[in-house]
Amino acid sequence: MPALDAVACTGPWRHRHPGEKAVLAFGLLCCAVAVPPWPGALVVGGTALALLLGPAGLGARRLLRAARGPLLFVVVGALPLLFSVGGPTLVRLDPGGVGAALALAGRATAALLCLLLFAATTPLADTLPRLARLGVPAAVVDVAGLVYRLLFLLLDRMAAVRAAQAGRLGFRSFRTTFRSVAGQAGAVFVSAFDRARRMEQGLALRGDPGSLRVQLPPQRLSRRFLAGTAVLLAAVVTLSLVPV
C-alpha cells in the first residue's frame, strides 16, 4: 500500500466523517483559488501545512515524498512564464514574468497542500460509497473503485518485476538499466491489459446486478469540527485580504 493511503487508513482523523474533512480541505482549496496569491498563497499553504504536520499526523518525510512529484510539475509549469518570445533574440528572459511565475507557483503549491490534506486523511473506500449518495452514477463509482484496486495490483507487479531484474543484476550499468526499465514497462503493460480484460469479463458475468454495495460504519458530522472549520476559513480569508 502506498504511504499516503497507509496514513489515511491509520491516521488520527481516520474515523472522522469524510464530509468534515472535505469541507476543511476543499474550503481551503477554494480559498487558494479565490484569494489574491500574495499573501493568500502563504496563508492558505501555511495553514494546510500546519494541519498536515500537526493534527493529520502525516510527517515531514512522508509529506515530502508525496509532494515532490506534483511540485516538479508546478516548477515546470511556472518556468515558461520567465521567458518571452520575440524581439532581438528568439527567446529572452522577461523580468515582468517573475511575479506571474511566483504567483502561479505559490497558488498551485497551496492548492496541492489542500488536496494532500484530504488525500492523507480520507481513504478512498470511505469516499466512493458516499459519492453515490450524492448523486454520482453508480457505474462511475464502480469503475473508480476497480481502477483504484487495479493500481495496487500494478504496483505489486512492478515491485515483483523490479526485484526479479535486480536479482539478475539488471541494474549494474546504464545499458542494462535502460534495458530493464524498458522490459519492466512492457511487462507491466501486458499485465495491466490482461487484468483489465479479466475485470471486464467478470463484470459481464455479474449480469449487471447494480452497484457494489458495502457497509459503512455509522458516523456523524461533528458540529464542533464544522464550526472550527468555519472560523478557520474566515480567518484565512481575512488574513489573505490584508494588503501587503
Side-chain angles (χ1 to χ4, degrees):
M1 178 180 290
L4 201 62
D5 294 272
V7 172
C9 293
T10 60
W13 285 359
R14 169 65 176 85
H15 299 290
R16 285 198 171 277
H17 196 285
E20 301 173 1
K21 294 173 282 188
V23 171
L24 174 60
F26 293 113
L28 288 174
L29 178 61
C30 292
C31 292
V33 175
V35 299
W38 305 113
L42 293 177
V43 175
V44 176
T47 303
L49 181 63
L51 291 172
L52 281 168
L53 299 179
L58 181 57
R61 181 175 299 179
R62 289 178 174 176
L63 175 60
L64 181 60
R65 187 179 303 174
R68 61 187 178 185
L71 284 178
L72 179 61
F73 283 97
V74 172
V75 173
V76 172
L79 281 178
L81 297 178
L82 299 176
F83 301 90
S84 61
V85 179
T89 58
L90 182 61
V91 179
R92 59 185 176 86
L93 285 172
D94 184 8
V98 176
L102 291 177
L104 174 63
R107 196 187 293 273
T109 303
L112 170 63
L113 292 174
C114 296
L115 291 177
L116 287 177
L117 178 61
F118 183 77
T121 56
T122 311
L124 195 63
D126 290 349
T127 305
L128 289 179
R130 290 178 170 86
L131 290 179
R133 299 180 181 179
L134 296 177
V136 179
V140 175
V141 176
D142 286 347
V143 170
L146 291 174
V147 171
Y148 182 67
R149 172 59 179 163
L150 183 61
L151 289 177
F152 286 95
L153 298 176
L154 292 181
L155 289 174
D156 292 340
R157 177 63 175 170
M158 290 177 60
V161 172
R162 185 175 181 84
Q165 291 173 336
R168 295 195 298 268
L169 301 179
F171 301 97
R172 66 180 182 275
S173 65
F174 178 79
R175 179 177 298 180
T176 57
T177 300
F178 184 81
R179 186 182 306 168
S180 298
V181 171
Q184 181 183 13
V188 172
F189 174 78
V190 173
S191 177
F193 191 84
D194 178 65
R195 290 184 182 274
R197 180 181 56 82
R198 284 189 286 171
M199 280 187 176
E200 182 183 6
Q201 293 176 349
L203 290 174
L205 292 175
R206 284 172 53 201
D208 191 20
S211 61
L212 295 173
R213 298 185 179 275
V214 296
Q215 184 177 4
L216 296 174
Q219 291 177 315
R220 286 187 175 183
L221 290 170
S222 173
R223 296 183 179 179
R224 180 178 300 179
F225 188 92
L226 293 177
T229 299
V231 173
L232 178 63
L233 294 178
V236 167
V237 172
T238 302
L239 292 176
S240 300
L241 296 179
V242 173
V244 294

